[in-house]
Amino acid sequence: MADTRDFALRRLHSLLGVIPIGLYLIQHLTVNHFATRGRESFDAAAHFMETLPFRYFLEIFIIFLPIIFHAVFGLYITFQARNNVSRYGYFRNWMFLLQRVTGIITLIFISWHVWETRVQAAFGAKVNFSMMEEILDNPFMIGFYIVGVISTIFHFSNGLWSFLVSWGIVQSPRSQKIATYVTIGIFFAVSIIGIRSIFAFVNPEWFAFASNLPIL
């Protein structure tokens, strides 16, 4: 009975990592990417998201509660898992380890990001271009956000592969290999969006560097 419950919770954990959390990640990064078009474009996109009907219901039941469950159960999986990278070193073992490491980084990053944005908004601050510009006003925070965003995207992309396998969508070695290439492609494509979005909020010299990255 306990094994059945644990199996069901793991499948739910995997599902929530893709739907709705993964979809929300893509949507959130897409909104942030409007910053590459200028201050007004980002503020308009952010304002649109804030004026969605049933916003608080969506945030609580579609975003925050799934994230809390995914994070808490993910910590349980992380601390009871047995990593064997040092002994075997297979590609999937490394992905298994990195999934756990990036999960911890992602949890720290998201908690801090929510504190700096949604919590501050609850106290009257306005979530707009200027807020992100102030957050990313020094090299340390730029580095912190780059590491956090890339870790979050990796955790989603590699978790997508695990979801496809655990839910029986890809079963053969060939299909799993194809899924590996697809999820790696997703990681790099979404990372470019995320990094470009970060540099759009900092000074023009920094953004000039990011603008040399491929445009999707």
Side-chain angles (χ1 to χ4, degrees), residues 134-147:
E134 291 177 8
I135 291 173
L136 296 167
D137 67 348
N138 65 79
F140 173 80
M141 289 306 299
I142 294 173
F144 176 71
Y145 265 73
I146 289 174
V147 171

Side-chain angles (χ1 to χ4, degrees), residues 35 39 129 132-139 141-143 145-146 195-210:
R39 182 183 301 269
F129 191 98
M132 293 305 303
E133 195 174 38
E134 291 177 8
I135 291 173
L136 296 167
D137 67 348
N138 65 79
M141 289 306 299
I142 294 173
Y145 265 73
I146 289 174
I195 293 174
R196 282 177 55 84
S197 300
I198 291 172
F199 280 105
F201 293 111
V202 299
N203 63 59
E205 289 76 17
W206 282 96
F207 182 57
F209 166 76

Side-chain angles (χ1 to χ4, degrees), residues 12-37:
L12 177 60
H13 173 265
S14 178
L15 175 63
L16 291 177
V18 177
I19 305 170
I21 299 173
L23 295 180
Y24 171 70
L25 170 66
I26 301 299
Q27 174 268 322
H28 188 63
L29 290 175
T30 300
V31 170
N32 288 349
H33 197 259
F34 275 89
T36 62
R37 301 181 181 181

Side-chain angles (χ1 to χ4, degrees), residues 82-118:
R82 296 179 179 178
N83 300 315
N84 57 3
V85 171
S86 60
R87 183 176 179 183
Y88 296 104
Y90 296 135
F91 175 76
R92 271 299 143 198
N93 287 341
W94 278 106
M95 294 297 101
F96 179 87
L97 175 60
L98 288 174
Q99 186 71 2
R100 273 63 194 165
V101 172
T102 56
I104 299 295
I105 297 174
T106 298
L107 177 58
I108 296 171
F109 171 68
I110 290 179
S111 299
W112 180 255
H113 183 58
V114 169
W115 168 260
E116 288 189 307
T117 55
R118 302 313 307 168

Side-chain angles (χ1 to χ4, degrees), residues 95 98-99 102 149-159 187:
M95 294 297 101
L98 288 174
Q99 186 71 2
T102 56
V149 168
I150 291 178
S151 295
T152 303
I153 295 170
F154 176 89
H155 192 74
F156 161 69
S157 303
N158 191 56
F187 166 71

